[in-house]
Amino acid sequence: MINKKYNEFLPSMQSAEDLVAQVDRLSSNIDLLKAGIENEVQRDLNVAVAEFTELKQQLEQDTLVLSILKKLQEFDTAIKKYNTALMEKKYVAAAQQLAKARSSLKMLQSRQGFELKILKALSTELTVQTQNMLYHLGEEWQKFAVWKLPPSKESSSLESALHSELHLGTVPSKEEEVAGPPVASVLQAFAVLGELHAKLKIFGQLLLKYILKPLISYPSLQPVTKEQSDVLILRFKSEEPKLDHASPMEVFDKIKLVFEVLHKYLLNVPLEEPEDEKDCRVTLAELLGDMIWEELSDCLIQNCLVNSIPTNSSKLEQYIEVIKSTEEFEKALKNMHFLKGDATDLLKYARNVNSHFANKKCQDVIVAARNLMTSEIHDTVKITPDSCVALPRLPVPGPGDHLKMQTASKPLHNDMVNLENETKLSQYTFSLPTCRISSSVEKLMELAYQTLLEATASTDQCCMQLFYSVRNIFQLFYDVVPTYHKENLQKLPQLAAIHHNNCMYIAHHLLTMGHQFRYRLTNILCNGAATFVDLVPGFRRLGMECFLAQMRVQKGEILERLSSARNFSNMDDEENYCAANKAIRQVLHQLRRLGKVWQDVLPVNVYCKAMGTLLNTALAEVVTRIAALEDISAEDADRLYSLCRIMVEEGPQVFTPLPEEDKNKKYQEEVPVYVQKWMTFKELMIILQANLQEIVDQWADGKGPLAAEFSAAEVRSLIRALFQNTERRAAALAKIK
């Protein structure tokens, strides 16, 4: 059994040993191969990689050199073709070849780390050829558009415009007809070279300065065209204008004629050849329009449309013709490709006529008002209660207006009770008293009324603007007049009085001005906003403050003159008496002068109050000075009495409010009404001439006329000054309590 197993195992073991021997041989072979690879193959591989890298770098360098040589070849070819095309006057082809040469040169210059000395020479050559090309194009352009301009010193006058001409070439030469229109060739070449914009900008500025703007600014200029053999001449002639400003229709026709000529002979040129016939080509006219239209439309607006804005709302309907003319003008320019897109600022301005009318009207009103405010104040007109202000005649109220006005009075119609008082007020109760106002102020009020009347016939927006312009007139008056005429108002009493009347006159009208137009203005203003009543207190205060300031000046002068009277003391001294007499005479002279200056200017009641106040100032000062004397001799008393008598006799004569002397007596007799210290002054005169008993009788235990004017202390002081210290004086003093 064991032998059997052994015999079976023995072959297996032998085969296994054989396999082990084979594996050992294979392992030794692998080691030999590995050693061979590491020692020989790896070395050969490194050499191969180094060779490949070197070959790759050489290939790249050769490729770069080849590309540069190719670009140099392209540059050289482009220059040669350019020269050929230029000789044949194929300007577009020549310009395109220059563009290719420039592209090749830029590519060469962009190679970093690769510099050729030849590039500088090529760049110089390209610049020279480009300038040469531009010179030839400029020469050709001169054949198509030649300007004949006046000397630069006369560039902005009518005479210079008449000497300005534009010559346009009309017939191309036969050699150039084969290649197409010469204008197109030249301009397309300019476009390829990138010089068209600068060239066209210069042309556009000349066109604006010497043709388009003069046509707009000078109504007498008319464009004239004259064709000769190969040129068309555009010049001006002068005709007598019908108006100071040409109508927009006339201006549009003139400018349209100029553009039609330019479009026909020069500007109807595509800037590049289209790849497809359906391609939309940009023309030279469109490019020129983009450059000059904004400035041209501004000039048309400022120098043409602004002047055509109506000054009266009744003419607004006629302005539709201007709007239609503007639309047709823009449509014509679009057809000639000068314009593109929708309505421009020019058409928008024309369509917005209502707003511009309101703005212009408001501006004109404010300017006219300011001119009136800065005119002379002393040019006056007389206002009487019978005077009728030239109020505008308002239209008959409509049905809506009747509803507005009758709403409040609708109930109790059948049961009305007559509550009218039998005693009626005078028709002049609410009238402005007779006085003089500046004629400029009267015109200012007429301007305000006419502007409000204009507002009643205007659109709502315009009505609002005009209404507030009228308010601005009065606010401007409030600010401008006192400042502009400040020096005269302070120095001249008559102007101060006239300014006082002006303010009262304006305030008088402001009370009812808003009510008169209330139901004729826009609905927004009908709800209580259409009023000027809020301005009334300010105007009254303005007039009163100015006049009161003048009154203070006059009071100061009166007191200054009386200060030279040496306190009315020691009248027995002839020098003192002369000084006092002179002071009294100066005061009376001042009052008489004021009386003449204010005569027929101030309302009678204001005149009398003003003169009464100034005379009262003088009398009060004299009374105060005399009452303050500690010693008055009999001679002093007589002389003081004579001075006071001068005041009493001549004082009322300064009251001359009216030019008619016989009518002034009434006011001279009413002096005690206006002069508060009049009776005090007369009582002082009585004291100066009375004895002790008469003074006591005048006092009448504090119930007499003397007690009504003087206090007990003042009377006792006067008695001590007038009488010597005796028992009779002591008794009299005891009775003055």
Side-chain angles (χ1 to χ4, degrees), residues 304-317:
C304 180
L305 290 185
V306 166
N307 298 322
S308 70
I309 299 297
T311 55
N312 193 300
S313 58
S314 61
K315 297 180 181 179
L316 279 175
E317 294 182 1

Side-chain angles (χ1 to χ4, degrees), residues 650-717:
E650 299 185 19
Q653 295 176 12
V654 303
F655 284 78
T656 54
L658 302 175
E660 300 84 358
E661 288 295 333
D662 55 332
K663 294 183 180 180
N664 290 328
K665 292 181 180 179
K666 171 188 175 184
Y667 305 105
Q668 293 171 359
E669 292 170 356
E670 295 176 351
V671 167
V673 177
Y674 304 110
V675 183
Q676 186 180 357
K677 293 290 185 180
W678 184 259
M679 296 309 298
T680 305
F681 194 77
K682 297 196 77 173
E683 287 297 324
L684 176 63
M685 291 176 63
I686 292 172
I687 293 176
L688 290 173
Q689 291 293 296
N691 55 38
L692 284 171
Q693 185 58 45
E694 289 173 343
I695 294 174
V696 171
D697 292 342
Q698 284 289 105
W699 181 258
D701 296 329
K703 298 178 182 178
L706 183 59
E709 305 300 333
F710 288 95
S711 66
E714 290 173 333
V715 175
R716 285 199 296 270
S717 176

Side-chain angles (χ1 to χ4, degrees), residues 564-626:
S564 64
R566 302 184 181 181
N567 293 328
F568 295 95
S569 62
N570 300 324
M571 288 294 101
D572 53 350
D573 185 340
E574 191 64 29
E575 188 176 344
N576 288 355
Y577 175 74
C578 289
N581 186 54
K582 181 180 178 181
I584 293 293
R585 294 292 180 184
Q586 287 178 340
V587 168
L588 289 172
H589 175 72
Q590 177 185 344
L591 292 175
R592 276 193 292 270
R593 182 173 57 82
L594 281 176
K596 289 295 182 183
V597 166
W598 288 342
Q599 184 184 78
D600 202 35
V601 173
L602 287 170
V604 172
N605 63 326
V606 177
Y607 177 97
C608 291
K609 287 180 181 178
M611 294 302 297
T613 301
L614 294 176
L615 181 57
N616 186 73
T617 299
L619 297 182
E621 181 68 11
V622 172
V623 170
T624 302
R625 296 289 180 92
I626 293 176

Side-chain angles (χ1 to χ4, degrees), residues 240-303:
E240 190 66 28
K242 299 177 182 178
L243 301 171
D244 293 337
H245 301 285
S247 69
M249 288 75 80
E250 294 176 357
V251 174
F252 292 157
D253 289 341
K254 295 176 187 177
I255 294 177
K256 204 187 317 181
L257 174 62
V258 172
F259 278 124
E260 286 172 352
V261 171
L262 292 175
H263 184 263
K264 180 178 180 181
Y265 294 104
L266 185 65
L267 302 180
N268 189 23
V269 176
L271 299 183
E272 56 185 11
E273 292 294 333
E275 296 179 0
D276 190 339
E277 291 183 359
K278 295 182 181 180
D279 286 350
C280 182
R281 299 182 297 175
V282 178
T283 64
L284 188 67
E286 188 174 336
L287 187 60
L288 180 64
D290 289 340
M291 289 181 180
I292 70 171
W293 175 247
E294 184 176 353
E295 189 173 351
L296 176 62
S297 62
D298 287 343
C299 185
L300 283 168
I301 290 171
Q302 297 301 325
N303 298 301

Side-chain angles (χ1 to χ4, degrees), residues 12 19 305 324 381 385 403 446 458 481 644 656 687 703 710:
S12 299
L19 287 173
L305 290 185
K324 290 181 179 178
V381 293
L403 290 175
E446 290 176 1
S458 303
V481 174
C644 292
T656 54
I687 293 176
K703 298 178 182 178
F710 288 95

Side-chain angles (χ1 to χ4, degrees), residues 690-697 716 719-720 722-736:
N691 55 38
L692 284 171
Q693 185 58 45
E694 289 173 343
I695 294 174
V696 171
D697 292 342
R716 285 199 296 270
I719 291 174
R720 291 190 184 99
L722 287 165
F723 301 97
Q724 294 180 354
N725 188 8
T726 62
E727 292 181 0
R728 288 181 62 194
R729 190 184 81 169
L733 289 173
K735 293 178 181 179
I736 306 299

